[in-house]
């Protein structure tokens, strides 16, 4: 019997079915997931189970579903992040089981202008949402993942298009710069400038600079970092290098939210490490090192097991937040590669975390469902796409030195791009003027206007009569 994701159900029906599942499915009291990191076969078989658990949440190829998307309630951004995990899984294990669906999903969601602004998402899409798809295709270019056909967008092109469309939204009119959280005025968070959106742009800029050698990307990375630093989104004094959540532009970005999330630290840490690798400037190594020093707050004091400090202790992590540790783990692995002086310490924390992950991934009716609390002695009964993705990334980033590091154009990367990608599309024009109405919308608006006019005329006739 497959797992029963109660997030797909509602009300009393969910309660009844959950109770039936608990009655009908035997509880698994099993030993920790057995992975011996000194044995290649053991690693691959163990990771295959965890990856299969992640793909259990994919239904994009089912009738009536959308390719590239996972089951509800997992949002579009998390699908982009999850495909990044599957990309890493292929790279570190050589298992091509999911490569076809990975590739088709990354291409299906590009949108008509090849910039990850698909029509099925553009009314709700935020800057961070688009950013995580861009980061996944950036990794595809760096890992020489199978290139698309010549008539399809290439991985580097897509990463550049995401960067360009996001950079076009840089907002100098409020807070002296920075990206808003949301792209469109009608979405909650439009007046909030958050670290994750700017961090995605920074991370992309750093890696594009390294990949292409184009120093315009380096300049952008410096600009983004300086803005984050100047507005205290990074607490970069001598004792505190915390990375905070963001601030409202209605207060001129002066009241910074003190929440610290793993993935924000990871975005900036690995981006700084990539710039150090590219420029050999020690300032970037110092910045990566200092953020890592603060990021140790995300590991339990007594065990060094990773946890989401802002929400896990209170039991209030929402669906999105339950995936952040996976993204953080991925960026820790990149930091190890880009800044080797940090490798030993980071890997020691990942090794300690592995103990918790392995004992957590023993739940569900399949026996390898992973939980949220890796400090719990066994599976904690919490499950979902975020939990499975986080476990997979924490484990496979122990393997970063078993494969070549991220490639660049100088070291054998084959994906090709275009520095102007995304700059002349109709989508970018819609972004700059988010209230513009396109032709199909004008037609719809005309129908609505006519309908309203008929109603008014009818009402007037009735009053006269």
């Amino acid at each position: 019997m497959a797992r029963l994701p109660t997030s797909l159900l509602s009300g009393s029906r969910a309660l009844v079915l959950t109770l039936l599942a608990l009655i009908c499915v035997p509880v698994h009291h099993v030993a920790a997931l057995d992975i011996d990191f000194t044995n290649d076969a053991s690693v691959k078989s163990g990771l295959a189970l965890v990856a299969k658990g992640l793909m259990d949440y994919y239904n994009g190829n089912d009738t009536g579903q959308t390719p590239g998307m996972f089951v509800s309630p997992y949002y579009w951004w998390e699908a982009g992040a999850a495909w990044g995990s599957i990309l890493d899984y292929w790279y570190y294990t050589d298992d091509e089981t999911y490569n076809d669906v990975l590739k088709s999903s990354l291409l299906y969601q590009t949108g008509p202008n090849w910039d990850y602004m698909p029509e099925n998402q553009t009314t709700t899409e935020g800057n961070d949402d688009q950013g995580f798809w861009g980061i996944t295709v950036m990794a595809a270019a760096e890992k020489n993942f199978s290139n698309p056909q010549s008539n399809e967008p290439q991985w580097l092109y897509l990463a550049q298009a995401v960067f360009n469309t996001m950079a076009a939204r840089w907002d100098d009119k409020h807070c002296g710069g920075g990206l808003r959280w949301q792209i469109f005025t009608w979405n909650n968070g439009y007046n909030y400038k958050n670290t994750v959106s700017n961090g995605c742009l920074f991370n992309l800029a750093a890696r594009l600079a390294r990949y292409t050698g184009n120093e315009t990307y380096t300049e952008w990375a410096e600009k983004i970092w300086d803005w984050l630093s100047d507005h205290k989104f990074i607490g970069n004094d001598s004792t505190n290098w915390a990375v905070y959540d963001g601030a409202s532009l209605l207060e001129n970005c002066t009241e910074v939210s003190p929440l610290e999330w793993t993935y924000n630290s990871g975005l900036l840490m690995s981006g700084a490490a990539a710039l150090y690798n590219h420029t050999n400037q020690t300032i970037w190594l110092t910045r990566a090192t200092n953020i890592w020093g603060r990021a140790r707050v995300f590991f339990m004091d007594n065990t060094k097991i990773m946890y989401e400090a802002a929400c896990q202790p209170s039991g209030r992590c929402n669906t999105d937040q339950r995936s952040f540790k996976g993204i953080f783990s991925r960026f820790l692995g990149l930091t190890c590669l880009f800044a080797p002086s940090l490798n030993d310490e980071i890997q020691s924390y990942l090794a300690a975390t592995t103990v918790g992950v392995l004992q957590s991934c023993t739940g569900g009716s399949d026996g390898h469902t992973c939980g949220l609390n890796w400090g719990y002695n066994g599976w904690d009964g919490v499950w979902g796409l975020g939990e499975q993705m986080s476990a997979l990334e924490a484990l496979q980033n122990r393997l970063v030195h078993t494969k070549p590091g991220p490639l660049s154009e100088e070291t054998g990367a084959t994906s090709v791009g275009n520095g102007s990608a995304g700059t002349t599309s109709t989508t970018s024009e819609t972004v700059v003027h988010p209230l513009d109405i396109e032709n199909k919308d004008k037609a719809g608006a005309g129908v609505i206007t006519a309908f309203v006019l008929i109603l008014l005329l009818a009402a007037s006739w009735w009053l006269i009569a």
Side-chain angles (χ1 to χ4, degrees):
M1 179 176 179
R3 287 168 297 178
L4 183 65
T6 54
S7 56
L8 303 181
L9 307 171
S10 61
S12 58
R13 180 169 175 265
L15 177 61
V16 170
L17 289 177
T18 301
L19 290 173
L20 285 173
L22 292 174
I23 293 170
C24 299
V25 180
V27 177
H28 285 260
H29 296 287
V30 296
L33 183 66
D34 184 18
I35 297 181
D36 177 2
F37 279 89
T38 66
N39 184 301
D40 185 61
S42 172
V43 170
K44 290 182 177 180
S45 62
L47 290 180
L49 292 176
V50 181
K52 171 62 168 59
L54 186 157
M55 291 302 295
D56 282 346
Y57 293 95
Y58 181 66
N59 69 341
N61 289 349
D62 295 347
T63 302
Q65 301 302 320
T66 304
M69 290 293 292
F70 289 76
V71 299
S72 177
Y74 303 110
Y75 296 118
W76 182 72
W77 85 269
E78 192 166 343
W83 291 123
S85 298
I86 293 300
L87 176 74
D88 287 352
Y89 171 73
W90 153 74
Y91 190 66
Y92 292 123
T93 67
D94 298 314
D95 183 355
E96 299 181 357
T97 300
Y98 308 115
N99 281 18
D100 288 345
V101 68
L102 166 61
K103 188 173 186 178
S104 62
S105 295
L106 292 178
L107 292 174
Y108 186 89
Q109 291 292 335
T110 59
N113 296 311
W114 293 356
D115 56 6
Y116 286 106
M117 294 285 290
E119 292 177 334
N120 64 324
Q121 295 296 329
T122 48
T123 59
T124 59
E125 186 174 341
N127 277 306
D128 53 340
D129 304 336
Q130 185 187 22
F132 277 109
W133 283 86
I135 285 170
T136 292
V137 289
M138 185 73 247
E142 293 168 336
K143 290 177 166 64
N144 268 351
F145 183 58
S146 173
N147 289 317
Q149 298 295 318
S150 59
N151 62 335
E152 295 174 318
Q154 304 300 297
W155 307 131
L156 176 60
Y157 180 99
L158 288 167
Q160 291 172 310
V162 169
F163 173 84
N164 286 334
T165 53
M166 291 179 69
R169 303 180 196 122
W170 187 261
D171 175 26
D172 287 317
K173 295 180 180 179
H174 304 90
C175 307
L179 287 178
R180 296 173 185 254
W181 177 13
Q182 299 297 331
I183 298 171
F184 300 105
T185 57
W186 51 79
N187 287 328
N188 185 34
Y190 181 72
N191 290 323
Y192 191 72
K193 293 195 174 182
N194 60 356
T195 298
V196 65
S197 296
N198 290 279
C200 284
L201 188 61
F202 170 75
N203 195 277
L204 272 175
R207 291 162 70 178
L208 283 168
R210 180 183 176 275
Y211 187 102
T212 66
N214 185 335
E215 292 309 308
T216 299
Y217 294 120
T218 304
E219 293 168 5
W220 260 101
E222 291 170 345
K223 175 180 178 178
I224 300 161
W225 181 280
D226 289 345
W227 184 85
L228 289 168
S229 176
D230 291 345
H231 288 78
K232 308 302 181 185
F233 285 34
I234 308 170
N236 53 1
D237 57 37
S238 59
T239 60
N240 176 23
W241 278 75
V243 179
Y244 298 121
D245 184 74
S248 171
L249 59 83
L250 300 179
E251 299 167 333
N252 200 32
C253 298
T254 57
E255 299 295 325
V256 179
S257 167
L259 289 173
E260 298 178 60
W261 302 106
T262 52
Y263 73 161
N264 281 335
S265 292
L267 278 165
L268 299 188
M269 184 196 318
S270 60
L275 285 168
Y276 167 65
N277 184 270
H278 171 58
T279 67
N280 203 33
Q281 294 176 357
T282 56
I283 188 173
W284 289 113
L285 177 60
T286 299
R287 288 167 172 173
T289 302
N290 286 338
I291 291 180
W292 163 244
R294 174 60 183 180
R296 291 197 291 266
V297 72
F298 300 122
F299 297 84
M300 301 176 195
D301 290 339
N302 57 333
T303 61
K304 293 185 179 179
I305 291 175
M306 189 188 301
Y307 77 119
E308 197 63 53
C311 65
Q312 246 183 260
S314 64
R316 295 182 179 179
C317 295
N318 65 26
T319 300
D320 287 345
Q321 293 157 7
R322 286 155 58 179
S323 70
F324 291 175
K325 297 197 301 285
I327 300 166
F328 180 53
S329 296
R330 184 187 309 166
F331 291 140
L332 287 178
L334 282 174
T335 301
C336 289
L337 294 169
F338 290 141
S341 62
L342 297 177
N343 175 75
D344 289 350
E345 187 173 26
I346 289 176
Q347 284 296 330
S348 73
Y349 277 80
L350 286 175
T353 293
T354 294
V355 176
V357 174
L358 294 180
Q359 69 181 8
S360 174
C361 294
T362 55
S365 58
D366 57 12
H368 52 263
T369 295
C370 303
L372 176 66
N373 182 3
W374 298 337
Y376 184 77
N377 186 22
W379 178 51
D380 61 0
V382 181
W383 69 91
L385 176 62
E387 286 81 358
Q388 211 69 22
M389 178 172 68
S390 294
L392 181 62
E393 288 284 19
L395 295 173
Q396 62 194 13
N397 276 283
R398 297 281 308 280
L399 308 176
V400 292
H401 295 294
T402 65
K403 293 285 186 177
L407 299 172
S408 69
E409 289 178 346
E410 289 187 351
T411 59
T414 60
S415 186
V416 297
N418 183 329
S420 299
T423 61
T424 59
S425 69
T426 55
T427 298
S428 63
E429 293 169 2
T430 304
V431 168
V432 175
H433 306 288
L435 294 181
D436 286 353
I437 301 177
E438 296 183 2
N439 290 335
K440 62 180 180 180
D441 297 317
K442 289 179 181 178
V447 172
I448 294 172
T449 302
F451 179 68
V452 171
L453 182 59
I454 291 169
L455 288 178
L456 289 173
L457 290 173
S460 299
W461 175 84
W462 181 80
L463 288 172
I464 295 171

